Amino acid sequence: MAAGLATWLPFARAAAVGWLPLAQQPLPPAPGVKASRGDEVLVVNVSGRRFETWKNTLDRYPDTLLGSSEKEFFYDADSGEYFFDRDPDMFRHVLNFYRTGRLHCPRQECIQAFDEELAFYGLVPELVGDCCLEEYRDRKKENAERLAEDEEAEQAGDGPALPAGSSLRQRLWRAFENPHTSTSALVFYYVTGFFIAVSVIANVVETIPCRGSARRSSREQPCGERFPQAFFCMDTACVLIFTGEYLLRLFAAPSRCRFLRSVMSLIDVVAILPYYIGLLVPKNDDVSGAFVTLRVFRVFRIFKFSRHSQGLRILGYTLKSCASELGFLLFSLTMAIIIFATVMFYAEKGTNKTNFTSIPAAFWYTIVTMTTLGYGDMVPSTIAGKIFGSICSLSGVLVIALPVPVIVSNFSRIYHQNQRADKRRAQQKVRLARIRLAKSGTTNAFLQYKQNGGLEDSGSGEEQALCVRNRSAFEQQHHHLLHCLEKTTCHEFTDELTFSEALGAVSPGGRTSRSTSVSSQPVGPGSLLSSCCPRRAKRRAIRLANSTASVSRGSMQELDMLAGLRRSHAPQSRSSLNAKPHDSLDLNCDSRDFVAAIISIPTPPANTPDESQPSSPGGGGRAGSTLRNSSLGTPCLFPETVKISSL
Amino acid sequence: MNLEGLEMVAVLVVLALFVKVLEQFGLFEPVSLEDSVEDEFELSTVCHRPEGLEQLQEQTKFTRKELQVLYRGFKNECPSGIVNEENFKQIYSQFFPQGDSSTYATFLFNAFDTNHDGSVSFEDFVAGLSVILRGTVDDRLNWAFNLYDLNKDGCITKEEMLDIMKSIYDMMGKYTYPALREEAPREHVESFFQKMDRNKDGVVTIEEFMESCQKDENIMRSMQLFDNVI
């Protein structure tokens, strides 16, 4: 809840006057919030430094230590102030959060100490304001990495332990990915590296002209043709090793599809395929040209080194990430080339014996000039040609020289940013999920408030008041506001689940509609109990769903709903924790439980089930015992199951 | 393009470059454009201070302490002293997370912004609150009528009412029980007009409105809602 909401709530409630004349049902009376005692100034003494603030300021965030009644534990009646034995410098930031709604991160403090303070005062780190968030996260990540490094260094001797029951496949994959984990993996790693080098060198040496053994040989042959068998054997050996390695990796890969699509495996395939194609293709002149082309692909074996070299991988990655800049460079160059080639062609058109025979022929001149190579094989001879030629070379320098430093600086920036951006995206999802949760928390709080029967004006005031007392004044008023809106429009707020269920429940008919009405029952008490006995609530949901023979999917939905509600109630648990001890028992009960208990079970209605003990009021009547047998030994269920059976 | 033409072009290009070089040396001042218009961005730090406490006390029915509390909250939220429509909508939407409250917030904004200057200052804010929370029942009804009367012409037509009604139903959002139908606002408007429009002329005037509301028990009783908001 933002700081602002509490301020604006009276205004929002006042604006409800606009609904009054339109309401077709009578609007509910306002909650009897006891009149605030006006503003008072609280004194908070943190290790001797006294901070003073309005009480309202602290009340803005009832989920925190200072905003809830938890601060009463720290109240010193003698001096009339709240005393905290914590760091006063950090407290300044915490208090500013209440005042401004933004939590700032101190630059010069240790991030861990700050975290601890936040945890103490009940603030979640997500509250850190946007201005300080990035730095906070960076420092936290740095810290975490440093700690992780220390841990790793400690464990370096042992090496990360594999789970005992890991299969050969997993061990193999791990050996491939982290060669330094076992000796055999290391050996394999070096052997493959050696063979890659051998293969590349053989490819290169193959083409060097060797002098024949007999001096008298008229022409020189490339070594490859002089010693075909030797090179063929070496090639075969290398390809065998590579094929073996590839097949082993394929076998060991946890996800074969992904492995097949990965770049490294493609490189592997391209490296060994020419050999096999060469084997299959018969050696005749028609396809020898293609055969020669295939040999070119053997040079891709050099890329297999990227598994052995971190630098190559980084280079490849940065090229990939700078693709747009490179693309722009290419595009602008192409534009310039076309323009200048056209101009040069037309400038040189009239000359005899000119090299500029066509525009594409002029491309070569333009490229050579723009990159300042200047081979000199094509030279303009007219004056106009020379003028434009010089402009071409000048602009070439500019066009090429300008983007390059930008690209270079982009490299490092993009490289680091990419790493950070991915993490931030993942964190953003979590943040959005939290915001959504908070939103649904508000709605769910209201829905739960409704089901509590908190809106019944009549009824057992005492127990009910105990149940609803722990909602703050703000919540009460906000819920009253939402209730007014419901009455004005004669529609009720529900949550998504019940809405879709209700939609689905229209067709199957009465039985299902009954089940939906019943299935919506557990929402109330279930969610009440959720904070104290989540397991039981789940069991109850299962039982109830089964008992109404509703579609099993519905029960799953209920479980999810309950789970969702349970999660959303985590923030509220703080205020329920802060309830006075004798209230906590009553939190378990719904007023209806009492009513139902009174009506149908002769057992004493003071059936305040203590959540910790499964002991039932078994001394009670027959109904109690049968229920106990049928239930899973959870007394909380008694009133509710009775109620269901009475439907 | 023949050679002659291209040479001409080349010569022109050379001349242009020459001019540029002269400019660099500062020997040749080309005609400069008018000074670019001053940046038009208004100082966004408009600060509005309300009148003194005593005057507000006279104008509204709040006590001094209440005004102090209200102003402190207001100033904390809007340090510039005024609320514009966007802020207003955003604030209001926080209270109704399920639905879309922006239309109704716009109507509210127009109702609070009595001098129609596009922003709600503290005086407007407090004046409106004073009428609603501390005014008589007639004052409140009057204020509500003013809210509904979108074009401030003294009578509510069916279209205006439909707009208001739709905006209120929008605030409920999608997930309601029973499910919202398309015709629900219209039907509500019909029933409203049936109740309020005495002479069945299709518009509700202030007198008809007041009369019908005063006769309605529910409305009168619900008016007590606002007695202890602050």
Side-chain angles (χ1 to χ4, degrees):
Chain A
M1 186 189 72
L5 276 197
T7 317
W8 294 110
L9 184 63
F11 149 74
R13 298 184 66 209
V17 78
W19 308 335
L20 264 191
L22 304 178
Q24 292 166 333
Q25 299 172 5
L27 295 187
V33 183
K34 60 177 190 280
S36 58
R37 292 176 306 241
D39 262 352
E40 55 171 308
V41 174
L42 296 181
V43 180
V44 179
N45 184 345
V46 182
S47 302
R49 204 187 299 180
R50 302 174 77 232
F51 296 86
E52 302 183 15
T53 180
W54 297 110
K55 185 171 185 303
N56 290 347
T57 313
L58 294 182
D59 285 343
R60 283 186 196 150
Y61 296 95
D63 280 346
T64 61
L65 187 154
L66 291 172
S68 62
S69 50
E70 195 181 341
K71 63 177 183 280
E72 303 300 327
F73 284 104
F74 297 92
Y75 184 69
D76 183 5
D78 299 331
S79 48
E81 55 191 27
Y82 295 87
F83 182 77
F84 293 96
D85 194 12
R86 311 282 304 186
D87 188 353
D89 290 325
M90 300 282 204
F91 185 74
R92 192 171 62 84
H93 298 281
V94 169
L95 195 53
N96 276 339
F97 168 65
Y98 285 90
R99 292 177 180 143
T100 60
R102 274 183 293 280
L103 183 61
H104 295 283
C105 166
R107 302 281 152 115
Q108 64 274 20
E109 304 282 351
C110 171
I111 209 75
Q112 212 163 353
F114 184 63
D115 266 348
E116 283 166 15
E117 293 296 310
L118 286 187
F120 178 79
Y121 291 108
L123 303 173
V124 281
E126 276 74 18
L127 290 171
V128 175
D130 287 334
C131 38
C132 298
L133 187 63
E134 192 172 329
E135 191 189 314
Y136 173 75
R137 283 201 202 278
D138 284 344
R139 285 169 65 188
K140 224 173 150 181
K141 186 178 58 105
E142 236 178 283
N143 225 14
E145 279 172 1
R146 205 177 310 135
L147 288 176
E149 273 176 21
D150 290 344
E151 274 184 27
E152 264 185 39
E154 280 177 22
Q155 295 176 2
D158 315 339
L162 260 191
S166 61
S167 65
L168 173 68
R169 224 178 122 178
Q170 285 172 328
R171 280 210 303 270
L172 211 54
W173 183 249
R174 197 167 135 267
F176 277 130
E177 293 299 300
N178 305 318
H180 51 272
T181 49
S182 74
T183 333
S184 52
L186 210 55
V187 163
F188 186 73
Y189 175 75
Y190 283 127
V191 161
T192 41
F194 172 71
F195 270 99
I196 295 175
V198 159
S199 160
V200 169
I201 292 173
N203 278 348
V204 167
V205 167
E206 231 179 19
T207 59
I208 300 177
C210 295
R211 239 174 285 117
S213 53
R215 292 276 179 134
R216 52 141 180 88
S217 63
S218 48
R219 57 187 173 86
E220 286 181 347
Q221 269 182 329
C223 284
E225 288 175 24
R226 266 196 62 112
F227 308 103
Q229 285 87 6
F231 280 104
F232 184 73
C233 288
M234 219 180 312
D235 204 20
T236 312
C238 293
V239 168
L240 278 176
I241 300 263
F242 296 151
T243 318
E245 180 206 354
Y246 179 71
L247 289 176
L248 274 178
R249 274 183 203 264
L250 190 61
F251 165 68
S255 154
R256 299 224 170 100
C257 289
R258 209 158 52 104
F259 175 73
L260 280 176
R261 285 196 304 243
S262 74
V263 175
M264 289 312 302
S265 86
L266 282 176
I267 291 178
D268 288 339
V269 168
V270 168
I272 60 180
L273 220 44
Y275 177 80
Y276 290 111
I277 294 180
L279 280 185
L280 296 172
V281 166
K283 229 187 175 93
N284 56 3
D285 289 332
D286 291 340
V287 293
S288 67
F291 185 63
V292 164
T293 318
L294 281 178
R295 283 182 157 206
V296 169
F297 284 97
R298 289 190 302 176
V299 80
F300 278 91
R301 287 176 197 168
I302 208 171
F303 284 115
K304 286 168 70 73
F305 265 131
S306 60
R307 273 211 188 93
H308 299 254
S309 154
Q310 172 84 344
L312 263 183
R313 276 203 297 269
I314 291 178
L315 184 65
Y317 176 75
T318 44
L319 279 178
K320 202 166 51 147
S321 59
C322 274
S324 65
E325 269 78 12
L326 287 173
F328 169 70
L329 175 61
L330 211 59
F331 176 68
S332 58
L333 263 182
T334 313
M335 257 183 13
I337 287 172
I338 293 178
I339 291 174
F340 279 111
T342 314
V343 170
M344 291 308 296
F345 171 70
Y346 282 113
E348 291 289 306
K349 201 163 157 85
T351 338
N352 296 334
K353 291 197 288 199
T354 183
N355 280 332
F356 295 84
T357 50
S358 65
I359 293 185
F363 280 171
W364 174 242
Y365 169 76
T366 319
I367 292 176
V368 166
T369 313
M370 283 185 89
T371 53
T372 70
L373 280 175
Y375 288 137
D377 52 352
M378 284 166 80
V379 172
S381 38
T382 61
I383 298 179
K386 286 184 181 163
I387 291 176
F388 288 118
S390 44
I391 296 175
C392 173
S393 69
L394 287 175
S395 64
V397 166
L398 287 176
V399 167
I400 291 183
L402 278 181
V404 168
V406 173
I407 291 178
V408 165
S409 76
N410 268 359
F411 272 178
S412 57
R413 189 176 55 87
I414 289 175
Y415 183 59
H416 289 296
Q417 236 186 30
N418 256 2
Q419 289 184 326
R420 242 184 281 159
D422 285 332
K423 281 186 202 129
R424 212 183 303 152
R425 244 174 280 144
Q427 282 155 358
Q428 188 73 1
K429 280 195 207 141
V430 172
R431 281 181 107 188
L432 284 176
R434 259 187 219 273
I435 291 174
R436 255 195 309 250
L437 205 59
K439 263 186 145 184
S440 68
T442 323
T443 341
N444 284 337
F446 179 59
L447 294 172
Q448 179 224 347
Y449 168 54
K450 284 204 302 184
Q451 265 112 17
N452 282 355
L455 302 177
E456 295 162 10
D457 328 78
S458 64
S460 44
E462 199 46 50
E463 292 90 359
Q464 171 198 322
L466 285 172
C467 288
V468 301
R469 176 194 295 180
N470 292 311
R471 299 166 42 257
S472 66
F474 174 81
E475 268 185 22
Q476 278 185 20
Q477 296 177 357
H478 190 194
H479 290 166
H480 174 253
L481 183 67
L482 291 173
H483 191 54
C484 287
L485 183 58
E486 281 186 342
K487 287 280 187 241
T488 310
T489 54
C490 307
H491 287 74
E492 290 179 7
F493 284 111
T494 61
D495 58 4
E496 193 167 341
L497 223 49
T498 351
F499 179 69
S500 39
E501 265 180 22
L503 276 189
V506 169
S507 30
R511 188 127 178 273
T512 329
S513 66
R514 177 160 163 269
S515 79
T516 48
S517 68
V518 164
S519 63
S520 63
Q521 285 294 344
V523 170
S527 54
L528 254 186
L529 289 170
S530 62
S531 56
C532 27
C533 27
R535 246 197 346 260
R536 292 174 185 161
K538 220 194 222 179
R539 274 188 233 151
R540 161 202 307 214
I542 297 175
R543 283 196 60 247
L544 285 175
N546 291 340
S547 68
T548 58
S550 60
V551 184
S552 63
R553 230 178 111 231
S555 67
M556 280 304 124
Q557 281 177 347
E558 284 168 33
L559 282 181
D560 287 285
M561 191 161 63
L562 277 174
L565 284 174
R566 190 183 343 131
R567 269 201 302 279
S568 69
H569 282 305
Q572 288 190 0
S573 64
R574 201 186 180 94
S575 46
S576 57
L577 277 177
N578 298 333
K580 300 202 182 60
H582 70 265
D583 280 348
S584 62
L585 292 178
D586 297 321
L587 272 181
N588 298 343
C589 331
D590 194 342
S591 59
R592 291 175 299 180
D593 295 351
F594 287 107
V595 170
I598 293 171
I599 289 177
S600 38
I601 312 184
T603 55
N607 190 3
T608 59
D610 194 351
E611 77 238 43
S612 53
Q613 311 158 7
S615 67
S616 62
R622 169 191 53 87
S625 54
T626 50
L627 280 172
R628 182 160 40 118
N629 290 340
S630 61
S631 85
L632 298 166
T634 52
C636 305
L637 291 174
F638 286 175
E640 194 50 29
T641 43
V642 166
K643 188 152 198 259
I644 297 301
S645 59
S646 66
L647 272 176
Chain B
M1 231 190 267
N2 55 0
L3 275 158
E4 292 286 337
L6 215 55
E7 269 183 6
M8 189 63 60
V9 170
V11 168
L12 283 174
V13 165
V14 169
L15 278 178
L17 288 175
F18 189 58
V19 166
K20 281 286 168 206
V21 167
L22 281 185
E23 257 180 39
Q24 282 301 107
F25 281 123
L27 299 174
F28 191 67
E29 297 288 339
V31 177
S32 59
L33 298 169
E34 293 285 336
D35 278 358
S36 59
V37 184
E38 290 285 330
D39 275 347
E40 292 200 359
F41 76 96
E42 302 164 0
L43 288 174
S44 54
T45 52
V46 164
C47 204
H48 177 95
R49 291 206 175 82
E51 311 163 359
L53 202 46
E54 286 76 18
Q55 280 149 310
L56 281 178
Q57 254 185 293
E58 283 168 30
Q59 288 168 5
T60 67
K61 301 200 184 79
F62 288 118
T63 68
R64 196 183 175 85
K65 265 227 172 285
E66 289 168 344
L67 283 173
Q68 281 179 336
V69 170
L70 277 174
Y71 187 67
R72 279 206 293 266
F74 186 83
K75 178 85 177 167
N76 212 15
E77 291 307 305
C78 313
S80 61
I82 53 169
V83 190
N84 58 11
E85 196 166 331
E86 275 314 305
N87 286 352
F88 203 86
K89 283 203 227 182
Q90 196 218 353
I91 290 165
Y92 206 68
S93 70
Q94 287 176 330
F95 290 104
F96 301 97
Q98 271 198 332
D100 171 30
S101 56
S102 53
T103 332
Y104 188 67
T106 312
F107 296 143
L108 268 186
F109 184 81
N110 292 333
F112 268 94
D113 184 18
T114 39
N115 50 0
H116 303 290
D117 61 355
S119 63
V120 168
S121 66
F122 184 64
E123 290 103 332
D124 298 333
F125 181 64
V126 152
L129 281 187
S130 163
V131 167
I132 301 173
L133 301 179
R134 299 276 185 269
T136 64
V137 171
D138 282 350
D139 290 338
R140 293 172 185 169
L141 289 175
N142 207 356
W143 199 93
F145 185 85
N146 202 28
L147 172 70
Y148 300 148
D149 186 11
L150 298 177
N151 54 0
K152 315 287 180 234
D153 62 355
C155 49
I156 308 176
T157 62
K158 277 202 179 152
E159 287 75 27
E160 289 175 340
M161 203 59 213
L162 191 59
D163 286 339
I164 300 259
M165 201 62 79
K166 279 212 200 117
S167 69
I168 294 183
Y169 274 81
D170 280 344
M171 282 198 286
M172 290 295 293
K174 208 168 81 156
Y175 303 119
T176 60
Y177 177 77
L180 266 182
R181 294 161 305 126
E182 280 292 320
E183 321 82 47
R186 191 171 290 277
E187 288 171 4
H188 203 150
V189 169
E190 290 300 325
S191 70
F192 176 78
F193 264 76
Q194 235 175 358
K195 197 166 63 160
M196 300 276 166
D197 191 8
R198 292 292 148 138
N199 53 2
K200 305 294 173 213
D201 59 353
V203 296
V204 175
T205 64
I206 179 80
E207 293 85 17
E208 290 174 339
F209 184 72
M210 295 282 242
E211 216 185 299
S212 320
C213 286
Q214 275 154 0
K215 293 217 180 74
D216 189 333
E217 281 272 326
N218 285 340
I219 297 181
M220 287 294 118
R221 199 173 29 223
S222 310
M223 280 287 173
Q224 292 158 12
L225 259 182
F226 301 103
D227 286 340
N228 58 351
V229 168
I230 290 194

